Amino acid sequence: MGRAFEYRKAAKMKRWGAMSRVFPKLAKAIEIAAKAGGGDPEMNSALRTAILNAKAENMPKTNIDAAIKRATGKDAANYTDVNFEGKGPHGVLVFVETATDNNTRTVANVKMHFNKNGGQVVPTGSLEFFFDRKAIFEFNKPEDMDLEELELELIDAGLEEIEEEDGVVLVTAEYTDFGTLNKAFEDLGIELTKAELKRIPNNPQEFTEEQQEEIGKLLEKLEDDDDVQAVYTNIA
């Protein structure tokens, strides 16, 4: 299988899949989208995507509605996207995406997580080129769909790769083509189950089980942090 399904396999293994950790992150993504473009999903494509991804994780409608209400209220938080790059145990590369309403707190916490777990934060831009930023789309394949025909339909919208496994289709593109490709799916009437931007290592490295166990302690602390939205590594 290609790199897209390597991503898919890795995504299934992500440690913050538990509801107690993933729901607040999804809610924050909804709040950010709603505050930026309004609380009506029909008029706000970013909000539609955030809601789509929340539903993919079985987030209850009441939680989704509450997040939109918070974002459109007079006391809505102002979140800023801040990225961190670092090296963890055994030289593993770690890219951290956060959304914060208190940058001082977030900087202090992220640095603490690295320092206490055998790692260190490095200057911004040091590691970004080790990761390819990709748009990832997923949907369930209808029985009558011809993937070759669909590929031709989507090439002009930015499609790079399309693969199918067990009835699930995964499409990848450059992150800059996210909006164009997302609209193409809408125009074709294809109902997505996920639509995300991900950072995929372009030179993944092998680590032993013992090494991964040590690395995992750092990743778990980062992923547990309320301000952290996503954590990426160069683990193969």
Side-chain angles (χ1 to χ4, degrees):
M1 287 295 175
R3 289 170 58 207
F5 273 99
E6 289 176 13
Y7 150 78
R8 179 173 169 74
K9 180 180 178 182
K12 289 181 179 179
M13 301 297 290
K14 284 187 70 65
R15 290 175 176 81
W16 60 273
M19 290 180 186
S20 61
R21 286 188 272 180
V22 74
F23 281 4
K25 299 178 190 296
L26 293 168
K28 187 178 287 188
I30 290 171
E31 287 184 53
I32 292 169
K35 185 174 177 61
D40 183 358
E42 292 298 319
M43 304 296 292
N44 185 343
S45 61
L47 180 58
R48 287 201 302 276
T49 300
I51 292 172
L52 169 72
N53 292 328
K55 288 180 176 179
E57 298 294 340
N58 298 314
M59 187 174 179
K61 186 177 184 298
T62 52
N63 295 45
I64 294 172
D65 292 342
I68 296 173
K69 187 175 180 180
R70 285 194 299 273
T72 53
K74 63 179 181 179
D75 297 323
N78 292 310
Y79 292 111
T80 302
D81 294 329
V82 182
N83 297 333
F84 297 87
E85 297 164 46
K87 292 185 178 180
H90 310 289
V92 67
L93 306 184
V94 185
F95 197 103
V96 183
E97 295 179 347
T98 74
T100 178
D101 57 356
N102 185 329
N103 192 55
T104 301
R105 176 194 66 222
T106 305
V107 170
N109 286 346
V110 170
K111 286 185 174 179
M112 177 190 68
H113 297 320
F114 273 97
N115 293 339
K116 287 190 173 182
N117 293 277
Q120 63 177 357
V121 172
V122 299
T124 301
S126 301
L127 306 180
E128 190 163 11
F129 64 92
F130 286 103
F131 296 86
D132 294 327
R133 200 173 188 205
K134 297 292 183 182
I136 308 288
F137 301 89
E138 185 178 293
F139 63 91
N140 296 318
K141 179 181 176 297
E143 288 186 8
D144 60 348
M145 176 177 283
D146 186 322
L147 288 185
E148 290 186 2
E149 287 186 11
L150 178 62
E151 183 175 8
L152 293 175
E153 291 269 6
L154 297 177
I155 283 177
D156 287 342
L159 176 143
E160 285 187 343
E161 185 176 23
I162 184 168
E163 295 185 83
E164 184 249 339
E165 185 177 271
D166 298 330
V168 175
V169 179
L170 201 68
V171 171
T172 59
E174 283 296 321
Y175 78 97
T176 50
D177 291 318
F178 182 90
T180 305
L181 201 50
N182 201 21
K183 185 178 185 304
F185 282 118
E186 289 186 359
D187 292 344
L188 290 169
I190 295 174
E191 187 173 342
L192 299 171
T193 53
K194 280 189 180 181
E196 303 172 296
L197 292 174
K198 295 289 181 183
R199 298 181 192 271
I200 301 174
N202 51 44
N203 185 26
Q205 300 296 307
E206 297 281 350
F207 294 88
T208 67
E209 287 189 21
E210 289 184 0
Q211 289 173 333
Q212 289 196 46
E213 189 172 337
E214 289 184 53
I215 293 168
K217 293 176 183 178
L218 168 61
L219 302 184
E220 187 171 359
K221 289 296 183 182
L222 289 168
E223 290 163 349
D224 276 343
D225 192 291
D226 289 341
D227 293 333
V228 172
Q229 288 295 95
V231 180
Y232 305 101
T233 74
N234 66 332
I235 298 175

